[in-house]
Amino acid sequence: MSNPPDPDRSEIIRAVEAEERLEREERHRAVEERDEFEGLQVDPGMVFYEEIADRKPGDTNVVKWGFDLHPQVTMWSAGFLTVFLALTLIYRESAEGFFADALVFIGDNFGWFYILAANVFLVTIVFFGFSRFGQIRLGGPEAKPEFTSFAWYAMLISAGMGIGLMFWSVAEPIFHYQSPAPFFNAEGLTPQAADAAMVTTFFHWGLHPWAIYALVSLALAFFTFNRGLPLTMRSVFYPILKERIYGFWGNAIDAIAVIATLFGLASSLGFGVKQVSAGLDFLFGTPDTTAFQIVLIAGITGLATLSVVAGLDGGVKRLSQINLGLAGIFFLFVLIVGPTVFIVGTMIESSGSYLQNLASLSTWTESLSGGSWQSGWTVFYWGWWISWAPFVGMFIARVSKGRTIREFVIGVVLVPTALSLAWMSTFGGSALKVQIDGARDVVSAVNENVATALFDLLQAFPLTAVTSFAGVILVMSFFVTSSDSGSLVVDHLTSGGKLESPVPQRIFWAVMEGAVAAILLLGGGLLALQSAAVASGIVFAIVIMVAIYSMRKAFGNELKALEAAGLLVGGRPRKKDVKS
């Protein structure tokens, strides 16, 4: 017979539970009762870098003609983009061949580096989240979140992968079904090919991309909220460069981040506008041409500009929540009216196969076989995600104050990965089932025009016109969210970390994003978009590699400082005193 519980121990347990309940209530009130989101409210409890304590974001900016810009970062990035885009237009006829050759060259010579880097990023973020560093809170021990969990997840998904999930969720599994990755040794259009198709798609949209985003955003959030440095990439390198982050090297790092961000965004916006154009052609017979796609870019960029002007609370957050709601309805419709049992079974089976093959698939470089499959798929994806990392990372950092590193890793890596795999299972699994049963020839539709894949699938289900129109609206909505989020991020980078920049400046960068996407479409179509993303990702991958050392050093110093201040007891955060 067990002994009765110790009265003193029971009292302690009740006190701790009461304290934790009070903490949850305080965090909830901090979100629900806060003022409109203005700036970052950066107020670190401890000063680490006294030698630059008097530095302010943008204190060397040039303020003129309605702009407030960091001269070096703006001139270097804008100058490079101007020359690159001008050459693309001047040599438009030969540009497509150049971009195709560039993509093959990068894959053949640097594919191994991308594959190595993506694995390092995944292992590192898991280590940071589930080691002793996981207890560090972004903003300090007393920091509270500024957004509800729903709003936080909505912004993560909308900014991180919205357009890509819409464009590739049907097309990629079908591509791999007819031509499986050589890794699997499967013959096309067979049950083995279907399994390989889903595992490959999960690989490209699962843990690795979200780990890349999480690593960059964690670095930015920590050095901003816990160190009081500007929300720019240069701040991450303070433990290495010290005051030199305000000189040449810091300017170069931010300029690289601007270029990578704009090229990464251009790729996604190009994919998005191709899908919108295909959907409108299917619904209303509008021309599905490059000229019409550029008109669409102009119109949707105009909407994004309005959202940018409205700001984070009034524009981006509200639109992100609408996106998530629309996407949820769209997802449930296909799940319910589609082959539900097949979808659920595919989700379970493919998830298991994905985890089972993760280690070997993650390190497969095709070196022994001498193939080139990786260049067009995995290398492109890793380059795309890395080029998006400064944009998505900075945006996630801005909205993640008050989360512990462990909460952050779970929220930015595990939850979005699960949602991405569920989405891919629903749309990709439905496409495979429809193809296998012969209800639709989705393979032919994808081969003819990859942008029409989603709309061809929807013809197998009821309310085709309604769901296709909803799909177009959802892609446009994700387009606007990505564009306005990216504009805010580029604006921060080119203003030395200032968050409240002039409206004309926000409009300028929103227009610039649309211009980059339009010119790349004119100069080489999808190949140009892919090449730009992959090429810009190489340099930024090296930047992230160096940043890992800087983060490890800063996290160790944070724990030492918390222990010295009595805010850690036995390696764990000290609880507040509980009053009876």
Side-chain angles (χ1 to χ4, degrees):
M1 185 173 180
S2 60
N3 295 326
D6 185 345
D8 293 337
R9 179 177 174 80
S10 299
E11 186 66 28
I12 292 172
I13 292 174
R14 283 196 295 271
V16 170
E17 290 175 346
E19 178 187 357
E20 291 176 345
R21 185 168 57 253
L22 179 62
E23 172 73 9
R24 287 195 299 271
E25 291 173 355
E26 288 179 356
R27 287 166 67 107
H28 180 73
R29 282 197 297 272
V31 172
E32 296 298 327
E33 298 175 9
R34 72 170 176 83
D35 295 330
E36 285 291 293
F37 193 85
E38 296 179 358
L40 288 173
Q41 299 84 46
V42 176
D43 185 23
M46 295 173 282
V47 177
F48 281 81
Y49 308 139
E50 294 183 0
E51 62 273 19
I52 58 167
D54 59 338
R55 294 297 303 256
K56 302 295 182 186
D59 55 7
T60 61
N61 283 7
V62 173
V63 182
K64 200 170 186 180
W65 300 319
F67 288 80
D68 187 352
L69 295 168
H70 189 289
Q72 286 81 15
V73 175
T74 304
M75 286 171 44
W76 294 354
S77 55
F80 175 85
L81 287 167
T82 300
V83 172
F84 179 85
L85 296 176
L87 290 174
T88 299
L89 285 178
I90 292 171
Y91 299 102
R92 181 179 168 187
E93 292 184 0
S94 56
E96 186 170 354
F98 168 79
F99 286 125
D101 292 342
L103 195 61
V104 172
F105 175 81
I106 293 170
D108 290 345
N109 294 278
F110 297 98
W112 65 268
F113 173 71
Y114 269 127
I115 290 168
L116 174 65
N119 288 318
V120 170
F121 300 155
L122 176 57
V123 171
T124 300
I125 195 64
V126 171
F127 169 72
F128 284 155
F130 296 97
S131 67
R132 61 196 182 97
F133 300 129
Q135 64 196 299
I136 296 172
R137 188 175 295 279
L138 300 174
E142 304 298 322
K144 303 292 188 295
E146 293 168 315
F147 295 98
T148 64
S149 294
F150 178 79
W152 188 46
Y153 290 133
M155 287 187 281
L156 297 184
I157 296 294
S158 293
M161 287 188 179
I163 292 177
L165 286 173
M166 293 294 294
F167 189 90
W168 289 108
S169 58
V170 173
E172 183 169 352
I174 292 296
F175 266 125
H176 300 320
Y177 176 57
Q178 58 179 322
S179 300
F183 173 86
F184 293 97
N185 261 336
E187 186 179 344
L189 305 176
T190 62
Q192 293 76 22
D195 181 61
M198 292 307 301
V199 172
T200 307
T201 304
F202 280 12
F203 176 55
H204 290 152
W205 295 85
L207 293 169
H208 283 81
W210 286 106
I212 295 167
Y213 292 163
L215 191 61
V216 174
S217 56
L218 175 60
L220 289 164
F222 177 82
F223 283 97
T224 298
F225 294 124
N226 295 66
R227 294 294 183 267
L229 293 172
L231 184 63
T232 65
M233 282 304 304
R234 72 175 71 215
S235 298
V236 177
F237 293 85
Y238 188 87
I240 300 173
L241 297 175
K242 304 297 182 183
E243 297 94 325
R244 293 192 297 279
I245 65 167
Y246 291 103
F248 170 82
W249 289 109
N251 296 336
I253 289 167
D254 281 350
I256 290 169
V258 170
I259 293 167
T261 298
L262 286 173
F263 279 148
L265 276 168
S267 299
S268 295
L269 301 185
F271 289 137
V273 80
K274 278 185 166 293
Q275 194 169 31
V276 171
S277 177
L280 292 176
D281 176 41
F282 170 75
L283 289 169
F284 306 113
T286 55
D288 188 13
T289 61
T290 301
F292 185 68
Q293 289 162 11
I294 291 173
V295 171
L296 287 175
I297 288 176
I300 299 175
T301 299
L303 295 176
T305 302
L306 295 177
S307 180
V308 167
V309 172
L312 188 61
D313 254 322
V316 179
K317 186 189 81 171
R318 187 167 296 125
L319 192 56
S320 296
Q321 290 175 314
I322 293 172
N323 282 352
L324 199 61
L326 288 174
I329 295 171
F330 198 51
F331 169 84
L332 289 174
F333 174 82
V334 175
L335 178 63
I336 293 169
V337 305
T340 307
V341 175
F342 183 84
I343 290 171
V344 175
T346 297
M347 191 183 308
I348 296 171
E349 182 176 342
S350 299
S351 297
S353 296
Y354 165 56
L355 295 175
Q356 183 180 359
N357 287 283
L358 183 60
S360 53
L361 192 56
S362 298
T363 53
W364 176 55
T365 63
E366 281 192 294
S367 297
L368 296 176
S369 63
S372 59
W373 185 92
Q374 289 277 45
S375 299
W377 286 105
T378 305
V379 171
F380 159 65
Y381 271 122
W382 289 179
W384 190 15
W385 303 140
I386 291 170
S387 67
W388 260 58
F391 146 54
V392 179
M394 194 170 294
F395 184 75
I396 292 174
R398 183 170 179 176
V399 299
S400 297
K401 182 181 178 182
R403 315 278 174 176
T404 66
I405 291 179
R406 186 163 296 125
E407 286 178 305
F408 181 89
V409 171
I410 292 171
V412 180
V413 179
L414 300 184
V415 173
T417 293
L419 292 175
S420 297
L421 300 192
W423 183 279
M424 288 297 185
S425 297
T426 298
F427 288 86
S430 295
L432 289 173
K433 180 63 172 174
V434 165
Q435 178 68 39
I436 292 168
D437 290 348
R440 296 287 307 172
D441 188 3
V442 188
V443 169
S444 296
V446 168
N447 291 337
E448 182 178 346
N449 183 354
V450 62
T452 64
L454 174 64
F455 305 107
D456 188 84
L457 170 66
L458 293 176
Q459 291 188 68
F461 305 136
L463 305 174
T464 301
V466 175
T467 54
S468 297
F469 182 72
V472 170
I473 295 299
L474 192 54
V475 173
M476 291 176 64
S477 182
F478 276 129
F479 190 140
V480 172
T481 307
S482 295
S483 181
D484 59 16
S485 303
S487 300
L488 289 171
V489 166
V490 172
D491 196 29
H492 300 337
L493 287 167
T494 54
S495 62
K498 279 191 173 181
L499 299 180
E500 301 303 322
S501 55
V503 170
Q505 186 167 312
R506 301 185 204 175
I507 295 173
F508 171 79
W509 287 115
V511 172
M512 179 63 80
E513 283 173 26
V516 171
I519 291 172
L520 287 175
L521 273 178
L522 279 172
L526 289 178
L527 277 175
L529 298 169
Q530 289 176 308
S531 300
V534 171
S536 62
I538 291 177
V539 181
F540 196 71
I542 297 172
V543 171
I544 303 174
M545 285 282 202
V546 179
I548 291 173
Y549 170 76
S550 183
M551 295 168 68
R552 170 65 179 79
K553 187 174 181 179
F555 291 164
N557 291 338
E558 177 84 358
L559 289 182
K560 290 178 183 177
L562 291 173
E563 289 171 353
L567 296 174
L568 285 181
V569 178
R572 297 181 64 81
R574 177 181 64 81
K575 294 288 188 180
K576 299 176 185 177
D577 294 332
V578 180
K579 298 180 180 180
S580 58

